[in-house]
């Protein structure tokens, strides 16, 4: 009945609320019972959560009923357990009853009830967590314990303390995640073992009644387990070393110190002694070391060395280390490494590496003897080349490539027992590039190019050999006399030659002058007298004299350079005629040879040049030795031709110069002072010329230079085949030369044949056309004599030409003055 | 003379080292026991550089002489006993003989030098007898080996000592401390 009533009321309320909901306010939401709990099975509480309040203040009421009854009770205590709770005290709690609890929320509009909650007290029992948890740690015999204590949860009613709880404890290291849970039982303390030293642990406990649930875990408690305290572990001695065989140092390595500060002591004893000493110096060599100075170092004695580590918990001793200092010497690396580049005899550079022993090592007294070793590698190389050097402190390196960079290092060790030092710092070597290498390349290139050039040249030569030859060595033009065929001359067919000559109007006329060849003109006005009946067309037979100068060994005399100087210097020269002794041989036919000796008048040459004196004398000396048939004159490029002009018509044209001489050049200048004359034999074929005119043609423009050259030359001409060869001498006076020098272009020198001696010696007279009166005087004087002489002998030879004063100026034929040498002949 | 001597002594030492290392070095056990058992230990010789430089050269020469004399006998027996060892490789036999010969030469050379250096006749009684022959002839192989090792160890040390003394003398007397 009541239930129906309640439900009907609820429906009405809901209806009211829904109607009112439209106005913004409604009846409250449905509350909800959260939980009910009993702490000790004798009381319990329920808590609910209110629903929406509908905008109006709500009032909550809890109603409950027991399952065996229908009576509805209201909550006896809303306050004890806090808001929205209901506390059922001992009187209202019946553990064997199921409660049906409902909470109703009411406001002005309506009310709302929660769903009924069936609560069985026995099933909702859960005590509070234990309290007052305390922890203690204890370490004994290298074991640590945690001692935990706590108190049961407090209850409002002290009478409840008779309850017995079961407890549970859990702990874990602080950094870890997993708990270790231990069931403690009913006691409120517990001892934890198997703990790690030095770890911080967190502990919690909880409890439970005989029925119900476990309580929550208590708040955490943590505790730190202290680290283990141990005596130190055994240290080890690493090594002992002596850098100079006078002191030594030992190093050790400490082991774990047990968590406590540890002290190390080094103890040693020497062989043969009982006493144990302690390390004299712990500091000099750094931490964990012991330094033995000189006083404490003995050799050839075994040391027994140990290290002891000590801490609060105890001490520990290392294994003994036996050491004889003589065997542990390890020096420092060598110092003062220097390089010096030297050149050996063969100009190949080599390197001398020098170094000094380390400063501490006493090598000087012989106490310590070191051996050295060096290693070498190219900078980019991988492998070192190790070279044992021995006890010397220098090393010569020959096998290094120029231009490369090398790295070198040196180390040393005692000569017997001992250890190698560290390698010295890297030293870089750079060899200067040997220029020879470049030389080789250059020479190779040069060789290749030159060979190419040679090949090209030879190819060209082969292809155009003849032309080249002609270009380089132009042929000496042969005598070109119109109407004269040299071949005919050679072959000796005089008839043909004469005819040839005749055709051309031999003797050649002035057309001969067209020939661009210098020739010597000898003119004789008395040719007609001398010459036989042969007529010549051309008064001037131009005979080209070719003078060859075989090697007479002339020296400075022959140098053209002298002559100009001589010419310039001389102002006046004595007009002494140069008598020349010319020796001539017949080259062809050899009927006779004119011999003339040229003697240069020293007087003439003196003013000009003192040198000429010497040269001339020298040449004079050489003259006798010169048996050359031909007169040879050194000449420059020009060939002087002596043309014989035969005044006598009858005279056959004078022969052309000797074939042999064709190629020769006459250094007239050189022979000027020498008087070295060679007679070119000229063959006259079928010529009846008795007189020969020799005309000298000089190129004026070259006269200053040439005139001295045009000194003397003699040509032997054969007027006739059967006659003795005529001798044409071209003789120039020094004065003439000088004159020519001074007055270029005007001088012409001729030699006049004064006499013919021995049927083959032509005596010539110097020309009197020289401007110097004194010069001319003599020749005049001489010539005055000579004509007579010549005339006297005219008949004997056709080749003589008498000087004629009258024609001197015009013809300018000069003849040698035999006066100077007449006696010699006679 | 000094140079010859130093050469000779020099050549002994590495041979000794080889001899020792090759066969008989068996770790620290031997070393430990070998301490203080050289028969020449009774001879008072310079122990460091200062002592070596301060001692008079005649005294030093006499000392060297004494040491060499003391080693004459042991070397003879060493050579002969080594030949008896079954496991000994030939190199050891050869080296032992070589050492003995060189020691004799050294001794002769030294006696000559000392004879020259010393003025007058001085009785040199620096000598230590050697009584280790029985130990070389023990039946127990390990003991015998140890005896050999010990002897070689002492030989190596003494030869190095003599070599050092001779070098110091050479540099002092010949090169005037400017080697």
């Amino acid at each position: 009945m009541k239930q129906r009533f309640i439900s009907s009321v609820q429906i009405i309320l809901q209806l009211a609320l829904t109607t009112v909901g439209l106005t913004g306010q409604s009846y409250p939401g449905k509350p909800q019972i959260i939980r009910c709990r009993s702490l000790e099975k004798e009381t319990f509480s329920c808590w609910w959560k209110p629903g929406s309040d509908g905008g109006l203040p709500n009032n909550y009421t809890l109603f409950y009923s027991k399952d065996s009854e229908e009576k509805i009770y209201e909550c006896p205590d809303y306050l004890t357990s806090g808001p929205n709770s209901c506390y059922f005290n001992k009187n209202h709690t019946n553990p064997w009853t199921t409660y049906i609890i409902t909470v109703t929320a009411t406001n002005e509009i309506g009310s709302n009830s929660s769903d009924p909650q069936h609560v069985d007290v026995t099933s909702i029992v859960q005590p509070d967590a234990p309290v007052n948890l305390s922890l203690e740690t204890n370490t004994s015999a290298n074991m640590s314990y945690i001692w935990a204590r706590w108190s049961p949860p407090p209850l409002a009613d002290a009478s409840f303390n008779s309850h017995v709880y079961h407890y549970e404890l859990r702990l874990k290291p602080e950094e870890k995640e997993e708990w270790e849970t231990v069931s403690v039982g009913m006691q409120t303390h517990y001892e934890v073992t198997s703990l790690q030293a030095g770890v911080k642990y967190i502990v919690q406990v909880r409890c439970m009644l005989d029925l119900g649930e476990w309580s929550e875990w208590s708040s955490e408690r943590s505790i730190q387990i202290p680290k283990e305290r141990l005596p130190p572990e055994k240290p080890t001695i690493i090594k002992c070393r002596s850098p100079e065989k006078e002191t030594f140092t030992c190093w050790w390595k400490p082991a774990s110190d047990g968590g406590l500060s540890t002290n190390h002591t080094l103890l040693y004893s020497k062989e043969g002694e009982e006493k144990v000493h302690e390390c004299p110096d712990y500091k000099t060599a750094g931490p964990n070391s012991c330094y033995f100075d000189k006083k404490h170092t003995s050799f050839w004695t075994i040391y027994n060395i140990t290290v002891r580590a000590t801490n609060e918990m105890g001490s520990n001793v290392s294994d003994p280390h036996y050491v004889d200092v003589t065997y542990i010497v390890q020096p420092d690396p060598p110092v003062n490494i220097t390089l010096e580049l030297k050149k050996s005899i063969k100009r190949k550079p080599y390197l001398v590496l020098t170094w000094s022993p380390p400063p501490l090592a006493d090598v000087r007294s012989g106490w310590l003897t070191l051996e050295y070793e060096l290693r070498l590698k190219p900078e980019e190389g991988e492998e070192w080349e190790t070279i044992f050097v021995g006890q010397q402190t220098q090393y010569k390196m020959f096998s290094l490539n120029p231009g490369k960079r090398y790295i070198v290092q040196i180390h040393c060790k005692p000569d017997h027992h001992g250890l190698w030092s560290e390698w010295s710092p890297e030293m870089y070597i750079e060899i200067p590039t040997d220029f020879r290498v470049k030389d080789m390349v250059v020479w190779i290139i040069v060789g290749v190019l030159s060979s190419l050039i040679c090949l090209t040249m030879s190819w060209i030569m082969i292809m155009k050999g003849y032309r080249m030859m002609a270009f380089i060595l132009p042929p000496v033009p042969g005598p070109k006399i119109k109407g004269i065929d040299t071949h005919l001359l050679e072959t000796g067919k005089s008839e043909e030659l004469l005819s040839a000559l005749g055709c051309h109007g031999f003797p050649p006329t002035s057309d001969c002058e067209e020939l661009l060849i210098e020739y010597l003109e000898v003119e004789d006005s008395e040719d007609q007298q001398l010459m036989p009946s042969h007529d010549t067309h051309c008064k001037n037979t131009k005979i080209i004299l070719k003078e060859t100068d075989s090697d007479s060994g002339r020296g400075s005399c022959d140098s053209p350079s002298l002559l100009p100087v001589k010419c310039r210097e001389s102002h006046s020269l004595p007009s002494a005629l140069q008598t020349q002794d010319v020796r001539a041989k017949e080259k062809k036919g050899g009927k006779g040879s004119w011999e003339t000796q040229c003697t240069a008048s020293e007087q003439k040459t003196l003013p000009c040049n003192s040198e000429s004196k010497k040269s001339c004398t020298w040449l004079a000396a050489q003259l006798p030795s010169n048996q050359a048939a031909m007169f040879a004159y050194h000449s420059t490029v020009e060939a002087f031709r002596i043309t014989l002009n035969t005044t006598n018509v009858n005279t056959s044209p004078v022969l052309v110069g000797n074939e042999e001489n064709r190629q020769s050049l006459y250094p007239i200048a050189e022979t000027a002072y020498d008087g070295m004359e060679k007679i070119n034999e000229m063959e006259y074929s079928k010529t009846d010329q008795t007189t020969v005119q020799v005309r000298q043609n000089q190129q004026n423009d070259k006269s200053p230079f040439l005139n001295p050259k045009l000194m003397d030359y003699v040509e032997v001409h054969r007027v006739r085949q059967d006659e003795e060869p005529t001798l044409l001498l071209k003789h120039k006076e020094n004065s003439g030369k000088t004159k020519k020098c001074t007055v270029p272009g005007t001088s012409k020198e001729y030699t006049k044949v004064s006499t013919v001696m021995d049927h083959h010696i032509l005596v010539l007279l110097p020309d009197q056309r020289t401007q110097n009166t004194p010069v001319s005087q003599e020749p005049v004087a001489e010539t005055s004599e000579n004509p007579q002489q010549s005339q006297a002998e005219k008949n004997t030879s056709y080749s003589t030409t008498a000087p004629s004063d009258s024609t001197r100026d015009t013809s300018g034929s000069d003849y040698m003055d035999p006066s100077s040498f007449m006696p010699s002949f006679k | 003379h000094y140079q010859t001597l130093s050469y000779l002594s020099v050549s002994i030492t590495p041979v000794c080292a080889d001899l020792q290392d090759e066969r008989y070095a068996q770790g620290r056990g031997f070393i430990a026991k070998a301490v203080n058992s050289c028969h020449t230990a009774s001879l008072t010789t310079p122990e460091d550089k200062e002592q070596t430089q301060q001692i008079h050269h005649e005294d030093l020469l006499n000392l060297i002489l004494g040491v060499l004399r003391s080693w004459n006998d042991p070397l003879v027996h060493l050579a002969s006993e080594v030949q008896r060892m079954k496991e000994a490789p030939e190199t050891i036999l050869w080296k032992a003989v070589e050492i003995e010969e060189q020691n004799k030469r050294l001794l002769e050379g030294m006696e000559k030098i000392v004879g020259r250096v010393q003025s007058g006749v001085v009785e040199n009684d620096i000598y230590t007898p050697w009584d280790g022959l029985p130990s070389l002839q023990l039946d127990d192989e390990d003991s015998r080996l140890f005896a050999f090792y010990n002897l070689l160890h002492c030989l190596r040390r003494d030869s190095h000592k003599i070599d050092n003394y001779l070098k110091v003398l050479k540099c002092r007397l010949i090169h005037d401390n400017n080697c």
Side-chain angles (χ1 to χ4, degrees), chain A residues 331-338 353-356 358 372-375 384 407-412 420-428:
Chain A
D332 295 326
V335 295
N336 285 346
I337 303 172
T338 58
L353 192 69
T354 55
W355 58 86
S356 302
Y372 301 94
E373 190 179 69
L374 63 88
R375 68 178 186 182
W384 291 93
I407 307 177
V408 67
Q409 286 182 309
I410 313 175
H411 69 172
C412 57
W420 284 105
S421 72
E422 296 290 328
W423 286 104
S424 66
E426 289 186 344
M427 184 135 193
Y428 290 89

Side-chain angles (χ1 to χ4, degrees), chain A residues 744-777:
Chain A
T746 57
S747 60
K748 284 185 178 180
E749 291 185 345
Y750 299 88
T751 56
K752 285 186 178 177
V753 179
S754 61
T755 58
V756 176
M757 299 197 60
D758 297 335
H759 298 283
H760 59 275
I761 297 173
L762 183 65
V763 177
L764 297 178
L765 290 175
D767 191 8
Q768 294 182 358
R769 287 178 64 191
T770 58
Q771 294 178 2
N772 291 337
T773 51
V775 178
S776 62
Q777 281 174 359

